[in-house]
Amino acid sequence: MSTQSTLEIRNVKEGIWNFVEMVPGGHQIDAYLICGREKAIMFDTMQTVRGVYEKARELTQLPIEVVISHGHGDHYGAATEEFIAAGCPVYLNQKDRDVLTAFGMPLWPEGHFRDLEDGQVFDLGGRVLKTMLLPGHTPAGDVLLDQEEGLLFTGDAIGSGQFWMQLSTCTTLEELLPGVERLLSQVKAWNKEALILPGHRYQAPVPMGLSYIEDLASLVRGLIDGSLQGEAMTMSLHGEDIPCASIRYGGVEGMLYNPQRVRK
């Protein structure tokens, strides 16, 4: 069995490719190359896999900008250095840059990042992506919205069927809820079928859309008002035992959260 990650690339629809890092043991991490007529966005760079810029260049010769969904090392990966070396700007909100440094991740090089703000628009030419910052999994997780196509590129901001809210870098559930409700309101207003393209697609048993966001909002409201409660457990991560609670609700296959961080 290989001990190194491998890269698979799958076409989602015209102008959009799903880059999948296949991690030994079965874990998968998803990034997306999103192309318009004039430029392209690489949304996340995965974890340890290399050669990502070269593969992106095989698919498009458009100028590429990189948007990092949040400050965890499985989404801001080794390939970030390849894009920076090629002169591609990299966007990440300052609050999530602080998450990177808290985990000891390099900022290649210091000062290279461009700020990513809520409501920021990326006009790719024939495709417009709008940023929504959604505190929860991290202080400023990013979602890219393609209203015309009904697409949401979400990283880990709303989970992938499974949702981690138990880490030290997560906000309280009370701080998560307004962002989920704002996202739900916007997607409902599209009045069209929506498709969520998250950071770990393999964790979702079925394609995720509007009903998943509705279930997530109901779950978080229930945990806050006490009508729902998870089962206590301890998870082990990188040799650390993390006390938390686990709950399933509708399309949310499993949320882990810190019972001590439900309210602000």
Side-chain angles (χ1 to χ4, degrees), residues 134 156-163 165 173 176-177 179-181 183-184 196 208 210-223 228 249-252 254-255:
L134 204 162
D156 289 350
I158 56 171
S160 302
Q162 298 178 27
F163 192 12
M165 282 293 297
L173 295 181
L176 167 68
L177 183 58
V180 175
E181 290 182 327
L183 181 64
L184 177 59
I196 297 169
M208 298 161 57
L210 176 63
S211 65
Y212 175 82
I213 308 173
E214 290 174 328
D215 288 343
L216 179 59
S218 295
L219 170 57
V220 176
R221 288 190 207 104
L223 291 172
L228 296 173
Y249 184 93
V252 184
M255 174 188 275

Side-chain angles (χ1 to χ4, degrees), residues 43-151:
F43 187 64
D44 282 348
T45 53
M46 298 163 289
Q47 186 167 259
T48 62
V49 70
R50 295 257 183 187
V52 178
Y53 176 76
E54 181 181 353
K55 291 296 184 183
R57 272 284 161 253
E58 292 176 3
L59 297 169
T60 182
Q61 291 302 307
L62 294 169
I64 299 175
E65 299 183 351
V66 179
V67 176
I68 303 297
S69 66
H70 64 292
H72 284 159
D74 57 338
H75 298 269
Y76 170 86
T80 309
E81 192 172 15
E82 302 169 358
F83 287 90
I84 290 175
C88 304
V90 180
Y91 291 85
L92 180 64
N93 184 272
Q94 179 63 58
K95 291 180 179 178
D96 268 50
R97 280 180 247 170
D98 294 341
V99 172
L100 281 177
T101 56
F103 279 95
M105 296 294 293
L107 303 179
W108 296 297
E110 181 68 34
H112 182 84
F113 280 111
R114 297 190 184 184
D115 285 332
L116 186 67
E117 303 298 339
D118 188 67
Q120 190 165 337
V121 173
F122 294 91
D123 188 345
L124 308 185
R127 184 187 303 278
V128 175
L129 302 174
K130 186 175 181 180
T131 296
M132 177 185 290
L133 297 183
L134 204 162
H137 181 67
T138 58
D142 176 47
V143 174
L144 287 184
L145 304 174
D146 182 341
Q147 179 175 346
E148 185 66 27
E149 293 286 338
L151 301 175

